[in-house]
Amino acid sequence: MSEQTLGIVGSGNIGAAVARLAVRAGVRVLISNSRGPRSLTSFADELGGGTRPVSIEEAARASELVVVAIPFLRFRDLPPAYFEGQTVIETMNFDPRRDQEVAHLLEAGSTPSELVQAHLADAHIVKAFSNIFAAHLELLARPAGAPDRSALPVVSDNGESKRQAMSLLSALGWDSVDVGSLSDSNLFDLGTPAFCAPYMKDSSGSWWDRLDTDPGMPLPASQLRLKLDSARLPHDRD
């Protein structure tokens, strides 16, 4: 993994957290956002490790693996041609309070991740990094074999791309739970038992207000599987 280049589209909380973890793991990072490379010069200098601020096109085309960490509302702004043949890890969550403009797209029963796959039809979409607060993503990262190593769920319709994503997660300090295909991504969407709260030390009451100060709580793969299983419909449990 350390010999590969990771492209990141989006420099918000999750994109920045993934970038920092990648640099610590010795992965080369190309960071991009909608405002252009100049807006990222200081951040790239802060990250070090040969991180380069680039255009979205270069981040997508010049990397072996691409992480897209932008608001779900903007997934249709991604030029499909940039991502042809690429493994794309999308971290986006549909929020009905924020994303009303695209809510009608989900009426046919597709998951948000399936909509992203339909838009980037020639890419291989993986969903990961979407069920955890950015600060906890960094705070809970641990070396392989650590007794308090946590896990994140991963889904994709492409087996090889899923393996690539899981390899990245491992390099960044995380175990993975293979949840299935993109149609299963709703098992760790906003509001599900596996979303954010299990990684918090104190998730009682209105925990959203404490995300910035909560120190985090390790969530091993076995416990994550239980959270995911509790989100399945009764007839899916077998």
Side-chain angles (χ1 to χ4, degrees):
M1 188 69 222
S2 60
E3 295 301 312
Q4 292 188 330
T5 299
L6 177 68
I8 300 179
V9 178
S11 57
N13 292 335
I14 287 291
V18 172
R20 282 190 283 265
L21 289 174
V23 169
R24 290 174 201 167
V27 178
R28 291 189 295 268
V29 173
L30 302 180
I31 186 97
S32 67
N33 64 18
S34 60
R35 297 185 300 279
R38 288 186 180 180
S39 69
L40 291 167
T41 301
S42 295
F43 182 54
D45 290 343
E46 173 193 327
L47 287 173
T51 301
R52 287 201 298 123
V54 297
S55 66
I56 291 175
E57 181 175 9
E58 185 173 356
R61 293 187 188 274
S63 304
E64 286 79 21
L65 197 61
V66 186
V67 171
V68 172
I70 62 176
F72 179 75
L73 183 67
R74 289 173 42 208
F75 81 89
R76 295 178 301 176
D77 296 337
L78 298 170
Y82 293 179
F83 300 88
E84 289 180 3
Q86 291 284 46
T87 292
V88 177
I89 303 175
E90 67 95 353
T91 74
M92 299 174 275
N93 285 301
F94 171 75
D95 186 337
R97 299 163 298 181
R98 179 195 62 200
D99 301 328
Q100 280 300 313
E101 183 181 325
V102 293
H104 66 283
L105 298 175
L106 297 170
E107 293 175 359
S110 295
T111 64
S113 294
E114 288 174 301
L115 292 181
V116 177
Q117 179 65 84
H119 177 67
L120 302 180
D122 294 319
H124 308 298
I125 300 298
V126 181
K127 190 177 187 72
F129 299 120
S130 63
N131 71 315
I132 188 167
F133 184 55
H136 293 150
L137 182 61
E138 292 189 70
L139 286 169
L140 297 176
R142 299 288 189 274
D148 59 346
R149 184 147 144 134
S150 297
L152 291 169
V154 178
V155 294
S156 180
D157 293 341
N158 184 282
E160 178 56 32
S161 291
K162 189 186 293 182
R163 284 188 287 275
Q164 282 183 276
M166 294 170 79
S167 176
L168 173 67
L169 263 68
S170 183
L172 301 194
W174 288 82
D175 287 336
S176 302
V177 171
D178 183 347
V179 183
S181 64
L182 295 178
S183 63
D184 298 306
S185 60
N186 57 359
L187 296 176
F188 51 97
D189 276 347
L190 179 73
T192 63
F195 186 82
C196 282
Y199 301 96
M200 297 183 67
K201 187 174 182 64
D202 179 11
S203 59
S204 61
S206 181
W207 51 262
W208 281 99
D209 299 332
R210 299 191 301 277
L211 279 172
D212 287 320
T213 57
D214 187 272
M217 175 71 74
L219 182 72
S222 59
Q223 291 183 24
L224 175 58
R225 289 189 183 96
L226 291 176
K227 297 291 184 183
L228 293 163
D229 188 59
S230 69
R232 295 182 187 274
L233 295 174
H235 65 267
D236 288 334
R237 295 179 183 161
D238 225 343

